[in-house]
């Protein structure tokens, strides 16, 4: 069977997609295994899996452009233009990227879990609260008086934090209905 060059490109694209799907399956499996072993919230596990999937899609688009004959100079010009526009746009909101990056770092190495009571040592305003949720951008901290504090992920990695009590959420005096 004799294949023309376009058929080779399509076969290469199918092989690329299969390889990236296998990589995605293995990577997401490892992330879920690490997350569950560490007792991390399912929502955070799924968030990190979405980041991996988005990265693999970008890689697939770049490699498929090469497969179909895009020139390195052309792709370089397109990607540099796109990244310049994105970079300028995100310069004003760099803290969002910082918080997302911190959220990913916290997924793999944050020693505290949802339900732990912690103290954040801030010289101006120390905070003692229970970790209610860990999100992509911030922590939700519940103080003893029932107030909810959202604390940015990038700041939690910059401050000294002390664990006061593991699984303190069970001892929390307020119910969700009491706060409404």
């Amino acid at each position: 069977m004799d294949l023309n060059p376009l058929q080779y490109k399509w076969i290469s694209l199918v092989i690329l997609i299969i390889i990236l799907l296998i990589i995605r399956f293995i990577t997401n499996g490892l992330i879920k295994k690490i997350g569950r072993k560490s007792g991390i919230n399912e929502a955070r596990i799924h968030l990190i899996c979405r980041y991996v999937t988005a990265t693999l899609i970008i890689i697939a688009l770049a490699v498929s452009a090469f497969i179909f004959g895009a020139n390195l100079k052309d792709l370089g010009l397109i990607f540099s233009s796109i990244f310049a526009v994105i970079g300028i746009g995100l310069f004003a909101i760099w803290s969002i990227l910082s918080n997302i990056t911190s959220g990913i770092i916290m997924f793999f190495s944050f020693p505290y879990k949802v339900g732990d009571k912690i103290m954040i040592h801030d010289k101006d305003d120390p905070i003692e609260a229970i970790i209610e949720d860990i999100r992509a951008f911030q922590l939700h901290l519940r103080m003893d008086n029932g107030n909810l504090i959202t604390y940015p992920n990038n700041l939690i990695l910059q401050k000294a934090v002390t664990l006061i009590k593991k699984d303190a959420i069970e001892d929390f005096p307020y119910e969700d209905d009491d706060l409404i």
Side-chain angles (χ1 to χ4, degrees), residues 48-113:
I48 299 299
C49 289
R50 280 186 278 182
Y51 290 158
V52 168
T53 301
T55 303
L56 289 174
I57 288 172
I58 291 169
I59 291 170
L61 290 174
V63 173
S64 62
F66 281 119
I67 289 173
F68 283 98
N71 193 346
L72 185 59
K73 284 184 180 179
D74 297 336
L75 284 179
L77 178 64
I78 290 170
F79 281 119
S80 65
S81 299
I82 290 171
F83 286 127
V85 170
I86 291 172
I88 291 169
L90 293 178
F91 180 73
I93 53 171
W94 68 270
S95 64
I96 291 175
L97 290 176
S98 174
N99 283 321
I100 290 173
T101 305
S102 298
I104 293 171
I105 292 169
M106 288 170 56
F107 178 81
F108 290 106
S109 65
F110 195 57
Y112 313 111
K113 306 285 181 246

Side-chain angles (χ1 to χ4, degrees), residues 14 17 20 25-26 35 42 53 55 58 70-71 73 83 85 93 97 102 120 127 129 131 133 136 142 170:
V14 169
I17 291 171
L20 289 177
F25 178 76
I26 292 170
E42 283 292 321
T53 301
T55 303
I58 291 169
N71 193 346
K73 284 184 180 179
F83 286 127
V85 170
I93 53 171
L97 290 176
S102 298
I120 301 169
I127 298 172
I131 300 173
D133 196 7
R142 184 71 64 182
E170 298 163 357

Side-chain angles (χ1 to χ4, degrees), residues 5-180:
L6 185 59
Q7 288 173 327
Y8 278 119
K9 290 177 183 179
W10 282 105
I11 291 170
S12 299
L13 181 63
V14 169
I15 291 170
L16 170 71
I17 291 171
I18 290 170
I19 290 170
L20 289 177
L21 284 174
I22 291 169
I23 292 171
R24 178 183 177 266
F25 178 76
I26 292 170
T27 306
N28 285 351
L30 288 173
I31 290 170
K32 288 177 183 177
K33 184 177 179 181
I34 291 169
R36 289 183 182 130
K37 184 178 177 184
S38 302
I40 295 174
N41 188 341
E42 283 292 321
R44 289 185 61 215
I45 293 171
H46 290 297
L47 180 68
I48 299 299
C49 289
R50 280 186 278 182
Y51 290 158
V52 168
T53 301
T55 303
L56 289 174
I57 288 172
I58 291 169
I59 291 170
L61 290 174
V63 173
S64 62
F66 281 119
I67 289 173
F68 283 98
N71 193 346
L72 185 59
K73 284 184 180 179
D74 297 336
L75 284 179
L77 178 64
I78 290 170
F79 281 119
S80 65
S81 299
I82 290 171
F83 286 127
V85 170
I86 291 172
I88 291 169
L90 293 178
F91 180 73
I93 53 171
W94 68 270
S95 64
I96 291 175
L97 290 176
S98 174
N99 283 321
I100 290 173
T101 305
S102 298
I104 293 171
I105 292 169
M106 288 170 56
F107 178 81
F108 290 106
S109 65
F110 195 57
Y112 313 111
K113 306 285 181 246
V114 172
D116 291 350
K117 186 169 190 172
I118 61 170
M119 176 178 225
I120 301 169
H121 300 279
D122 187 357
K123 67 178 182 175
D124 297 329
D125 188 25
I127 298 172
E128 186 173 317
I130 295 173
I131 300 173
E132 194 171 89
D133 196 7
I134 302 174
R135 303 255 172 125
F137 299 103
Q138 75 272 348
L139 292 173
H140 286 187
L141 304 171
R142 184 71 64 182
M143 298 188 66
D144 288 337
N145 63 6
N147 290 342
L148 178 69
I149 297 174
T150 56
Y151 203 81
N153 286 343
N154 62 349
L155 290 182
I156 197 77
L157 292 180
Q158 296 174 12
K159 305 282 183 183
V161 179
T162 302
L163 175 65
I164 296 176
K165 184 177 182 193
K166 291 288 268 179
D167 298 323
I169 202 161
E170 298 163 357
D171 302 334
F172 193 67
Y174 299 98
E175 294 294 326
D176 290 336
D177 297 336
D178 294 341
L179 300 174
I180 297 175

